[in-house]
Amino acid sequence: MGLALHTTRQDGRATIAARGSIDLHSSDELRSRLTELVDAGERVVVVDLTAVDFCDSSGLNVLVRAYKHARAQNAALTVTGAYGRVENVLRTTGLDRFLIAGPAEEAPADGR
């Protein structure tokens, strides 16, 4: 199965819902979409991996580079919906610590 991407914008957030496999053959499409969103001025980008059944090292590379590109543009990029093999690879590589939003990122900056 290939990769299908669907982008929605709501409440100041751009969400890319991915479906299928993120691999060597499809990762360029995801990279392009993420770069376009950040370069177009989106400040909060969420990659929804709920319907992704596989992500190899090229997909991880795209996510890491997009995260770094977003940070360089004062934007935020996070991942949501990872489960099964995809969640396992994010946790095994340690990428879950900065790609998956947690309670700390949701708290106000002043700590209250």
Side-chain angles (χ1 to χ4, degrees):
M1 179 193 228
L3 180 66
L5 301 174
H6 178 73
T7 305
T8 57
R9 291 174 177 83
Q10 183 176 0
D11 299 328
R13 172 187 307 216
T15 301
I16 297 178
R19 175 179 295 282
S21 298
I22 304 172
D23 57 23
L24 181 62
H25 303 290
S26 64
S27 60
D28 278 345
E29 184 179 356
L30 178 60
R31 179 193 50 76
S32 294
R33 184 78 58 94
L34 291 170
T35 301
E36 287 170 11
L37 287 171
V38 172
D39 289 350
E42 295 291 346
R43 292 294 153 243
V44 178
V45 178
V46 177
V47 183
D48 183 352
L49 301 178
T50 302
V52 172
D53 57 7
F54 178 78
C55 182
D56 71 5
S57 61
S58 60
L60 296 177
N61 188 351
V62 165
L63 293 173
V64 170
R65 287 177 180 264
Y67 172 84
K68 289 179 177 182
H69 179 65
R71 297 232 0 179
Q73 302 297 321
N74 294 318
L77 182 137
T78 57
V79 170
T80 188
Y83 73 96
R85 292 188 295 180
V86 177
E87 179 184 26
N88 188 44
V89 75
L90 289 173
R91 291 196 188 290
T92 299
T93 59
L95 297 178
D96 63 313
R97 292 189 303 251
F98 63 91
L99 285 177
I100 297 175
E105 284 95 354
E106 295 167 8
D110 64 3
R112 287 189 244 167

